[in-house]
Amino acid sequence: MTNQAYAHRITPLTTTRHAIKERNDTNFVKGIQTMFEHITLFDGMSVSFHHHLRNGDYWLNEILLELEKRNIKNITLVASSLFDVHQKIIPLIKNQTITKIYAAYVSKKVGEVISEGYLKDGLVMHTHGYRALMLTHHLVSVDVAFIVASASDKQGNASGSLGKTPCGVLGYAIADAQSAQQVVILSDSIVPVDKPEIHSDWVDVVCEVDSIGDASGIVSGTTQITKDPIGLKIAQLAVDFCEAANIIKENMSFQSGAGGISLAVMDKLHHHLKNKNIKALFASGGTTKLLVDMLEDNTVSQLYDVQCFDLDAIQSLAINKNHKKMSAMEYADITYKDNIANKLDVVFLGATEIDLDFNVNVTTGSDGIIMGGSGGHADVANGAKMTIIVSKLMQSRLSVVVDKVTTISTPSEDIDCFVCEFGLALHPRHQALADHLKKTTNLPIKDIRELYDLAISLTGIPNKIAFADQKIGVSLYRDGSILDELYAIASV
Amino acid sequence: MRKSALFVPGNQASMHVGAFAFDVDAIIFDLEDAVALHHKDSARTLLRHSLSTLTMFKIPKYVRVNPIDSPFFKEDIAQMIQAPIDGLMIPKADAYNLLQIIKWCEQVETQHSKKQTPLWIIVETALGVETLWDMVNTTDRITHVLLGGEDLMSDLHVKQTYNRQELAYPRAKVAMVSKAKKLLCYDTPYVEINNEKGLLEDAIQAKNVGFDSKIAIHPSQVDVINAVFSYTEEEINQAKEIIEAYNQAQQQGLGAFSFKGKMVDKPVLNRAMHIINSIEGNKHD
């Protein structure tokens, strides 16, 4: 097999895992130069990273820049998500050190260069759930998983909850650890680890480093509740709809996205549950102080946590037995029978665009440039009984409701309701519910076209985005099927 | 049942559309206090363009112009009367300056072949309070009266008291005169926008003396105000039952009838009908 072909294989490797070391013989090293002496990496191989350090992550950049120094080319980057902090890899995309990327989310700074057509072998955008499936079923093989952990022992029992710079549960990294040919733990706190997310049995090398990242970026203010009165109005309307549609009840389960309005829904829901003395069974996904408060005042019985967004969530995970860690497989992998996503009653998610057929785009911006991705959007939208999109009707002078989304990130079949400041629209399959609510409540039930017409009357119809013929990637559903294709933007 | 009316800065274009998302009876675009002196001209131009674009929204639109003793008043009136609005809000109105205000409005209306523009007057001076009866009898343009508590306190040289003692007389006067002339009256804004409890108590005081509603100066105040000036479920149910009892009495040819052991007289029936009519009129489109 040539190195070139090696980068694109999608079948399991025939080589034996741990071939480069004896089992139970984890290497403990200091510094990445020594670490590289203990792993095998050459042209065309694939490397994986998790995103639990978000914009505080040092090591995705550092490792890939080191590969460039070592003149290793045609790398497939299997990253759970790429943030703005990772823009240092842009030259590596341009000089073909990195030629293919798998990710559930790509922020705009990195997305821009991909949308300009520089990523030679393209971008595969998947969901968190499908990433876990893809890795653990070896549909994509990872040669080296680099797992940054806030704490690890010398054997490789690693956690995100302990150490100098805790980042919370390493839910997305477990699939990498279980499936990669070689697993490297990078940590700045070599300490005994009780209840690790990553078990030493999966680990080949533990590398002690000076720092895992910038603490302020790891738990940055990306998860603030909106204070915008319009956002708060949308949140209240979403909760009012749930109340009227009999979704809010004892033992309900729910999840929200991490956007400001989705978090405001959580806040309103919390107050509603408390006032009505209703106790929810569980909440899931990424956790914040909002969910921790609900757990602590008994408005929810359990939290299932795949990643922590703030220090309160990290601390709660350490001390509250009802705050449970979960892996990406347990969260959203469709081959995992009891995946949490499929048990959800209701989810509140954002959207960059929603079209008249209720398809949702969270991947590309109004300029056609990649600036996001599904993350768990399509996983929980598919799994939950009721999926509610909460968004302002217009963002930056453009309508969020469009005739056809630029990219399908989550398909119409999985979307039930769109709530904006001017009303809420139900998918046509819920016509009976819409009719019932119109008769029995004062909720501003609208047809989605009414909302579209209102927005267009204010914004006008925007020009179509000009795309080039060059295909730059695909958007995958949670079962791995192709939802949409991504194209380079036309040069102006 | 009346909902709040919401003030929106005239110079904040991004807020002009968003304001219509809120459940209010009127939007009042402000060219006075919300706009800095050096932005007065640009705010006026911006607002006129906004108003000509926002015609798809059915919520009535008013513009608070600058006071008659300011250099901006005449141009505010001249521009806004030409815009698609439901009325002008006039600050610091009293029986003496109102005549001049009407004269200038008439001049602009004639020049542009416009119908008579309704006025929403703000009573916020001692002279305004004391000449309110004269004002509402001077013209049939006046449709709404707003009590402006902050400026009035300034005019009286008094501070805000815990239970708004300083507003007891002006509130009673504004409510009484407005009701006598069948005009809608709105209570003064509550300026502590993060004090929901204070707003609630203030709104209840206003409701108790006869105000139809209260002005909101921030969207976060709208729901609290609407809740205070709405009828309770108990009031609505009782009103429905009284009307049902009345209909049955009519069918049986009875002039007088009783409800739950008490004779129902005309004021009670009228109030029940007013409640039901208000609710029907306030359902969402």
Side-chain angles (χ1 to χ4, degrees):
Chain A
M1 183 185 288
T2 64
N3 288 345
Q4 181 64 24
Y6 191 78
H8 308 296
R9 67 170 184 264
I10 55 165
T11 49
L13 279 174
T14 52
T15 51
T16 308
R17 191 179 179 299
H18 301 302
I20 62 160
K21 67 155 190 147
E22 295 296 317
R23 283 187 68 84
N24 303 321
D25 184 22
T26 304
N27 293 295
F28 175 71
V29 298
K30 292 190 178 184
I32 64 165
Q33 296 304 327
T34 320
M35 178 266 288
F36 272 103
E37 292 169 12
H38 290 84
I39 58 171
T40 304
L41 257 175
F42 51 82
D43 280 10
M45 281 192 158
S46 58
V47 293
S48 82
F49 296 87
H50 66 71
H51 70 278
H52 290 285
L53 279 74
R54 290 170 283 277
N55 264 317
D57 179 31
Y58 286 164
W59 288 102
L60 184 143
N61 290 336
E62 292 302 316
I63 298 287
L64 290 167
L65 288 166
E66 180 62 26
L67 295 184
E68 185 199 29
K69 274 187 206 158
R70 290 167 183 256
N71 202 27
I72 296 172
K73 295 278 187 190
N74 293 322
I75 290 291
T76 296
L77 170 59
V78 184
S80 53
S81 292
L82 292 170
F83 285 76
D84 282 347
V85 72
H86 299 127
Q87 62 187 296
K88 286 185 179 174
I89 69 168
I90 289 171
L92 280 58
I93 292 170
K94 289 185 173 176
N95 70 19
Q96 297 188 4
T97 300
I98 300 165
T99 49
K100 190 176 180 79
I101 295 177
Y102 290 84
Y105 176 94
V106 179
S107 75
K108 188 163 184 178
K109 283 187 176 157
V110 181
E112 222 159 22
V113 74
I114 299 172
S115 291
E116 286 166 3
Y118 284 104
L119 185 64
K120 181 173 159 275
D121 296 323
L123 170 69
V124 178
M125 299 221 63
H126 47 66
T127 70
H128 286 322
Y130 185 65
R131 182 178 192 272
L133 185 160
M134 191 172 78
L135 295 187
T136 54
H137 290 72
H138 298 281
L139 300 176
V140 167
S141 291
V142 174
D143 294 298
V144 186
F146 293 96
I147 298 173
V148 182
S150 60
S152 175
D153 63 21
K154 289 185 177 176
Q155 287 69 46
N157 293 299
S159 169
S161 305
L162 306 169
K164 285 185 264 186
T165 321
C167 59
V169 59
L170 300 175
Y172 294 122
I174 296 168
D176 304 46
Q178 288 182 353
S179 61
Q181 292 295 306
Q182 304 161 74
V183 176
V184 175
I185 300 289
L186 297 150
S187 184
D188 56 4
S189 298
I190 305 301
V191 293
V193 174
D194 188 28
K195 297 180 187 167
E197 291 98 81
I198 309 295
H199 296 277
S200 61
D201 192 41
W202 305 329
V203 177
D204 302 277
V205 182
V206 174
C207 177
E208 186 176 7
V209 292
D210 293 338
S211 170
I212 58 165
D214 173 12
S216 66
I218 294 169
V219 285
S220 63
T222 54
T223 53
Q224 298 291 318
I225 303 174
T226 182
K227 289 179 181 166
D228 174 8
I230 291 176
L232 295 173
K233 162 149 182 128
I234 295 166
Q236 186 61 55
L237 191 51
V239 172
D240 291 346
F241 163 71
C242 289
E243 168 73 2
N246 200 28
I247 293 164
I248 300 178
K249 53 191 173 190
E250 197 72 13
N251 289 327
M252 70 177 292
S253 54
F254 59 90
Q255 182 172 325
S256 86
I261 298 176
S262 300
L263 293 175
V265 176
M266 289 295 96
D267 192 41
K268 302 271 184 197
L269 181 62
H270 183 192
H271 286 102
H272 189 91
L273 292 173
K274 213 170 164 182
N275 292 340
K276 301 262 177 180
N277 201 23
I278 296 169
K279 188 168 186 177
L281 184 61
F282 74 85
S284 60
T287 51
T288 61
K289 182 178 186 303
L290 276 170
L291 291 183
V292 170
D293 288 346
M294 292 170 92
L295 183 66
E296 287 179 356
D297 70 10
N298 275 322
T299 39
V300 64
S301 298
Q302 293 177 325
L303 299 184
Y304 287 96
D305 191 344
V306 70
Q307 66 173 329
C308 300
F309 286 122
D310 56 33
L311 281 174
D312 293 84
I314 295 167
Q315 284 160 4
S316 164
L317 192 64
I319 59 171
N320 195 327
K321 66 177 170 36
N322 291 319
H323 189 158
K324 298 173 185 298
K325 298 174 181 179
M326 66 176 168
S327 67
M329 290 78 83
E330 293 166 297
Y331 171 38
D333 176 355
I334 53 169
T335 63
Y336 190 86
K337 192 179 72 176
D338 284 331
N339 73 78
I340 286 291
N342 283 8
K343 293 179 179 176
L344 284 161
D345 288 327
V346 59
V347 291
F348 305 93
L349 304 169
T352 308
E353 295 175 327
I354 180 167
D355 67 21
L356 296 172
D357 295 324
F358 284 81
N359 294 299
V360 166
N361 171 25
V362 288
T363 305
T364 43
S366 56
D367 48 7
I369 292 172
I370 295 159
M371 42 61 70
S374 187
H377 199 285
D379 292 322
V380 295
N382 173 256
K385 293 184 186 76
M386 174 65 70
T387 297
I388 300 171
I389 301 298
V390 286
S391 169
K392 286 186 181 182
L393 181 60
M394 290 162 286
Q395 292 280 16
S396 307
R397 292 171 292 157
L398 287 169
S399 176
V400 170
V401 184
V402 294
D403 58 347
K404 188 170 166 40
V405 289
T406 311
T407 305
I408 300 175
S409 313
T410 300
S412 165
E413 292 79 11
D414 293 337
I415 305 297
D416 298 291
C417 181
F418 170 65
V419 182
C420 69
E421 68 272 39
F422 292 107
L424 61 94
L426 283 150
H427 191 285
R429 67 176 164 276
H430 294 303
Q431 191 57 50
L433 175 61
D435 292 342
H436 171 71
L437 293 176
K438 272 185 189 171
K439 278 184 202 154
T440 58
T441 72
N442 278 338
L443 287 171
I445 309 285
K446 313 271 184 187
D447 186 286
I448 197 162
R449 184 168 280 282
E450 278 180 72
L451 296 171
Y452 171 76
D453 289 343
L454 172 60
I456 292 303
S457 71
L458 290 159
T459 64
I461 298 173
N463 292 336
K464 292 280 178 200
I465 302 163
F467 286 107
D469 293 335
Q470 183 192 352
K471 188 174 151 186
I472 56 163
V474 287
S475 164
L476 300 185
Y477 192 44
R478 71 182 298 216
D479 63 359
S481 58
I482 294 176
L483 281 172
D484 214 338
E485 295 178 333
L486 303 166
Y487 285 87
I489 49 168
S491 48
V492 184
Chain B
M1 185 176 72
R2 281 280 151 189
K3 295 173 195 161
S4 181
L6 176 63
F7 265 118
V8 178
N11 59 340
Q12 300 284 328
S14 61
M15 294 185 188
H16 291 178
V17 176
F20 290 94
F22 295 94
D23 193 17
V24 291
D25 277 344
I27 308 284
I28 303 155
F29 295 94
D30 188 15
L31 291 175
E32 195 202 14
D33 293 346
V35 180
L37 282 179
H38 57 286
H39 287 155
K40 294 285 186 188
D41 289 345
S42 58
R44 193 188 295 125
T45 306
L46 171 72
L47 182 56
R48 190 160 168 201
H49 280 96
S50 274
L51 288 165
S52 63
T53 306
L54 301 176
T55 50
M56 71 286 284
F57 293 112
K58 293 173 190 165
I59 298 175
K61 306 167 196 75
Y62 292 81
V63 175
R64 178 163 77 168
V65 295
N66 286 284
I68 191 167
D69 58 359
S70 77
F72 314 107
F73 171 78
K74 283 195 167 183
E75 191 59 20
D76 284 354
I77 297 278
Q79 292 291 323
M80 292 307 138
I81 278 181
Q82 297 177 67
I85 58 170
D86 294 273
L88 292 165
M89 181 179 262
I90 306 294
K92 296 186 177 62
D94 59 51
Y96 303 99
N97 64 27
L98 187 63
L99 295 172
Q100 293 169 267
I101 291 163
I102 291 169
K103 196 175 166 191
W104 182 240
C105 287
E106 284 171 348
Q107 202 172 318
V108 176
E109 286 158 359
T110 305
Q111 189 186 344
H112 297 285
S113 305
K114 289 279 181 184
K115 287 184 197 164
Q116 179 174 289
T117 309
L119 298 183
W120 184 326
I121 56 168
I122 313 181
V123 177
E124 52 187 340
T125 61
L127 186 60
V129 173
E130 286 308 309
T131 60
L132 178 57
W133 180 250
D134 294 337
M135 275 197 276
V136 298
N137 283 294
T138 298
T139 173
D140 60 358
R141 283 175 183 264
I142 299 173
T143 54
H144 298 66
V145 181
L146 167 64
L147 175 63
E150 290 297 310
D151 280 290
L152 183 57
M153 282 192 299
S154 170
D155 203 27
L156 297 174
H157 305 292
V158 296
K159 286 182 182 171
Q160 183 177 325
T161 58
Y162 172 71
N163 59 0
R164 307 307 299 263
Q165 252 183 312
E166 75 286 359
L167 293 184
Y169 169 69
R171 271 178 166 164
K173 175 107 184 202
V174 167
M176 204 65 74
V177 170
S178 301
K179 286 293 187 299
K181 295 294 290 184
K182 299 197 183 330
L183 304 174
L184 290 171
C185 58
Y186 281 70
D187 187 42
T188 184
Y190 189 74
V191 294
E192 294 175 45
I193 56 173
N194 294 320
N195 184 355
E196 194 174 303
K197 185 170 174 282
L199 171 64
L200 181 69
E201 288 169 357
D202 202 46
I204 289 170
Q205 279 189 22
K207 185 186 181 186
N208 288 344
V209 295
F211 278 86
D212 293 295
S213 190
K214 186 173 179 70
I215 291 284
I217 52 170
H218 190 273
S220 64
Q221 297 182 325
V222 168
D223 286 347
V224 176
I225 294 170
N226 288 354
V228 170
F229 290 92
S230 298
Y231 297 111
T232 64
E233 208 167 312
E234 192 183 342
E235 286 174 311
I236 294 165
N237 289 337
Q238 181 162 311
K240 283 179 183 167
E241 287 170 13
I242 288 171
I243 291 168
E244 177 62 27
Y246 168 74
N247 288 337
Q248 283 178 10
Q250 288 290 98
Q251 281 171 6
Q252 292 163 13
L254 301 173
F257 68 101
S258 65
F259 175 73
K260 292 185 178 174
K262 289 181 184 171
M263 289 305 292
V264 174
D265 53 13
K266 198 160 185 291
V268 174
L269 180 63
N270 283 349
R271 178 172 156 76
M273 286 179 165
H274 178 73
I275 290 172
I276 298 306
N277 289 340
S278 300
I279 298 160
E280 293 300 319
N282 275 295
K283 283 206 168 172
H284 280 283
D285 292 332

